[in-house]
Amino acid sequence: MAAPPPLSPDAHPGRWRALALIALAELLGMGVWFSASAASPRLQELWGLTASQAGWLTGAVQLGFVAGTAAAALLNLADLLPSRWYFAVSAVLAAAVNAALITADGYGAALVLRFMTGVLLAGVYPPAMKMAATWFRSARGLAIGTVVGALTVGKATPYLLRAFPSLDWREVVLASSIGAVAAAVLIGIGYREGPFPFARRPFAWGLIGQVARDRPVRLAIGGYLGHMWELYAAWTFISLFFVDFFTVRGATEAGAEARAGIVGFAMIAAGGVGSVLAGRWADRLGRERVTIWAMAASGVCAVAIGWMLRAPAWLAVAVAVVWGFAVVADSAQFSALVTELAPEHAVGTALTLQTAIGFLLTSFSIAAVPPLREIGGWPLAFGLLAAGPALGIAAMRRLRTLRSG
């Protein structure tokens, strides 16, 4: 009997197992990103922090991630180190630095630890998307969208843990570190490279000008920046909005925080579903179209929810969940666009530039929300976030016209 024909790499039976492994690892590993944000009400009370200072507990992670991504690109770590060990070691170190937060003696030490957490997560977040892409070619949008969806749910888990009043903030922080260690074990033991390895495309300073002069790439990055202006500020402050929301309705401090934690988790976790579905839609309908739809929906929600402090609870929660679904649904598609549009020899530089500028921008929008809330309340604070999707839509419409013409 003749031997059966070899499987096409795109039909490799191990690709779904690999994607499930990577997605689970991302879900477990990314909880350390928002661990301090979920605990910020307790840290504000413990250290006498202002709302702006509490916001920088997340802003420092963003800046650390920018620094870590830039350093990894300059040192070409993704090509020099095996992906699974790069991921595993980074996750263990991020867990250790995150856990050290419970020993911090003040705000300054906490900021340093948060910054270092972001630096180390640069070895957890981007490598996971690359690892998934080595297993997928025809459904890469779905695969990367699934990874982004999983890490989105992972980032939401500290808010869910905060919903249990019996858990001290230190236990929430430690739980997220345990998750990161588990992620390292999963990848270190279970992951193997897929059949579509990437050619070496390292970052190069000399290519920045070429990337910046390429109009389609510039428009794709512009759309991403509009998306990022809104995304992390929405994730950071949605729980605080609902603390105010439930407090207005007479809830106790502990009760308001517990309910806000549940809504915060639901809002962010909804983005996990959005990322997977948007990945599938983008593969079929076009990436520009899907990103425009997602940003239109998220921008409307950003404007609307700020006015809902006294709205019916079911309505405010529903808008929050829709916002969470839409605000991250398009995220993976911007990176996919850059890989498709950038010159092959400049893909690594283009992705690094996109990621670094995008996460740097998030620190400014996160810093802007607390003072705007003091000046004009949540309508002004969340309304400003809608400027990002508006500009992003303009960029993506120009890109769609350029590509179709």
Side-chain angles (χ1 to χ4, degrees):
M1 181 179 293
L7 286 171
S8 165
D10 251 331
H12 195 292
R15 68 177 184 157
W16 296 111
R17 175 191 171 278
L19 182 60
L21 178 75
I22 296 165
L24 178 58
E26 281 294 283
L27 190 154
L28 292 170
M30 295 307 292
V32 299
W33 196 298
F34 281 126
S35 61
S37 301
S40 64
R42 289 289 150 270
L43 297 178
Q44 281 184 269
E45 181 182 342
L46 181 64
W47 294 328
L49 306 181
T50 65
S52 293
Q53 288 175 315
W56 274 107
L57 292 172
T58 298
V61 180
Q62 312 300 109
L63 294 177
F65 186 80
V66 171
T69 301
L74 291 172
L75 297 172
N76 204 23
L77 294 181
D79 289 317
L80 294 175
L81 302 175
S83 294
R84 62 175 176 145
W85 297 121
Y86 183 27
F87 180 107
V89 172
S90 297
V92 169
L93 293 176
V97 172
N98 180 69
L101 185 64
I102 67 174
T103 67
D105 57 2
Y107 180 61
L111 283 182
V112 172
L113 291 170
R114 293 278 78 203
F115 179 85
M116 289 306 303
T117 300
V119 169
L120 293 163
L121 286 173
V124 176
Y125 184 167
M129 290 191 286
K130 179 180 177 182
M131 288 190 292
T134 67
W135 283 94
F136 288 82
R137 180 173 55 191
S138 61
R140 188 164 288 175
L142 173 61
I144 296 177
T146 300
V147 174
V148 172
L151 68 88
T152 299
V153 177
K155 289 178 180 179
T157 53
Y159 289 102
L160 179 63
L161 293 174
R162 200 185 82 183
F164 296 92
S166 60
L167 288 179
D168 182 71
W169 71 268
R170 296 173 182 82
E171 294 172 314
V172 172
V173 170
L174 287 177
S176 64
S177 287
I178 291 170
V181 172
V185 172
L186 283 174
I187 294 298
I189 293 176
Y191 176 77
R192 296 297 181 272
E193 199 81 355
F196 304 114
F198 283 85
R200 292 190 62 187
R201 294 168 183 168
F203 176 88
W205 285 107
L207 295 177
I208 290 180
Q210 183 176 342
V211 169
R213 288 190 298 270
D214 189 306
R215 191 174 181 221
V217 176
R218 194 167 65 242
L219 289 171
I221 293 176
Y224 177 75
L225 297 182
H227 153 79
M228 290 295 280
W229 173 262
E230 178 190 25
L231 176 61
Y232 277 84
W235 279 351
T236 299
F237 292 106
I238 190 64
S239 185
L240 182 58
F241 169 81
F242 276 99
V243 168
D244 289 350
F245 182 90
F246 290 116
T247 299
V248 164
R249 284 155 178 75
T252 63
E253 182 180 357
E257 289 182 11
R259 295 176 193 174
I262 294 172
V263 178
F265 171 80
M267 182 268 193
I268 300 174
V273 179
S275 294
V276 175
L277 291 180
R280 180 178 290 274
W281 295 335
D283 285 336
R284 295 178 179 177
L285 304 174
R287 305 196 196 287
E288 295 96 334
R289 182 178 298 178
V290 169
T291 58
I292 289 170
W293 290 348
M295 286 189 286
S298 67
V300 168
C301 290
V303 171
I305 199 166
W307 296 95
M308 292 186 172
L309 205 57
R310 297 184 182 277
W314 68 266
L315 180 60
V317 172
V319 170
V321 171
V322 172
W323 192 15
F325 179 97
V327 75
V328 73
D330 50 353
S331 189
Q333 305 316 313
F334 291 110
S335 297
L337 273 170
V338 168
T339 65
E340 293 168 355
L341 296 170
E344 185 173 341
H345 64 283
V347 169
T349 299
L351 286 172
T352 302
L353 189 65
Q354 178 195 50
T355 302
I357 299 175
F359 277 87
L360 183 62
L361 186 64
T362 64
S363 65
F364 291 99
S365 59
I366 289 170
V369 167
L372 289 176
R373 175 186 169 225
E374 293 296 322
I375 295 169
W378 287 110
L380 178 60
F382 280 159
L384 179 69
L385 299 185
L391 295 173
I393 288 171
M396 298 311 290
R397 291 184 65 183
R398 290 193 187 97
L399 178 60
R400 185 173 64 179
T401 301
L402 187 64
R403 295 183 81 188
S404 62

